[in-house]
Every structure is written in C-alpha cells, then in structure tokens.
Amino acid sequence: MSKKIFVVEDDSDLSEAIQIVLREEGYCTVASLDKNSIKGVILHMPDLVLVDNKLKDGFGSELCRAIKQHPLTSHIPVILISGYPDLADIAKACGADAWLSKPFELTALTNLVGHYVKHAA
C-alpha cells in the first residue's frame, strides 16, 4: 500500500505539479486549497502533510499548528513550504517537522518527503 501525502497548496498549477512528482515516486496524493483542511487531514489520515505557508485564506502555519495540537493528527509529519525568508523560524514556531523554501528542486522535495514518510509512525 502506497504512502499517502496530503498537499495543501492554493496555486492549482503548483499543487498539480507537486502531486504529479509525488505520484511518480509511488505516493498516493490528496489535495486541498485552503488552511481549513484539518477535517480533510482527519478524514484521510495521511502519512505526511505538505503545506504552503501563504494561502489565499490565511497561513499554512495555522493548519500545521492545528495538526500538531489535535490528538488524532499530532503524530503526522508536516513539511511547510514557502518563499518567506524567515521560513525556518515560522516552521519552528508552528511545530512543523521540516521546511522547504520556494523555489525548490524537485529532488529536494522528494528526498525530504521520503525521509519523513520513511520515519513516520
């Protein structure tokens, strides 16, 4: 059974590109466009959440914080992605397991996802 990655990215082209790359790596993907995706995370119980910090309706760091504080989802690794220069500080503050600055190399994305999925509970 392939590992499931929940992608939260409001740029539909980037979301689709990320999903294509992850599917080529053998992952199953589920996507959402907004920060209010905690219900989707609980419904799908993915092995990892990949979330953009700047969303049209708020910040992915808020979703990350909600995931890490919810008893059903706190164990799920979260990778925060963004073009923000202080992304490392934002990721640390919201409890993200890792962060990836935009623009990023696809190999950096797949390596990071692979690392956290491999070590997921």
Side-chain angles (χ1 to χ4, degrees):
M1 187 163 144
S2 63
K3 300 288 186 168
K4 189 183 304 180
I5 311 298
F6 196 86
V7 179
V8 183
E9 169 61 65
D10 62 356
D11 178 327
S12 59
D13 291 335
L14 182 55
S15 177
E16 185 61 30
I18 289 170
Q19 291 182 78
I20 289 169
V21 168
L22 293 175
R23 285 187 212 124
E24 287 176 355
E25 292 291 316
Y27 300 110
C28 173
T29 63
V30 178
S32 178
L33 301 173
D34 61 52
K35 74 174 182 85
N36 297 315
S37 302
I38 187 69
K39 291 177 185 173
V41 173
I42 292 169
L43 175 68
H44 294 285
M45 291 306 288
D47 296 288
L48 181 136
V49 176
L50 182 66
V51 60
D52 184 16
N53 189 50
K54 181 69 171 98
L55 301 168
K56 290 179 180 149
D57 65 345
F59 294 95
S61 55
E62 295 170 6
L63 173 60
C64 177
R65 192 171 287 110
I67 291 168
K68 292 302 186 176
Q69 291 176 349
H70 196 287
L72 294 176
T73 60
S74 62
H75 68 284
I76 299 172
V78 176
I79 299 173
L80 199 62
I81 59 173
S82 182
Y84 279 82
D86 56 347
L87 183 59
D89 294 334
I90 295 168
K92 184 178 179 181
C94 71
D97 295 274
W99 53 271
L100 189 59
S101 293
K102 289 180 181 179
F104 50 81
E105 296 288 327
L106 295 177
T107 54
L109 172 67
T110 57
N111 289 341
L112 197 57
V113 167
H115 172 78
Y116 282 95
V117 167
K118 181 179 178 182
H119 293 97

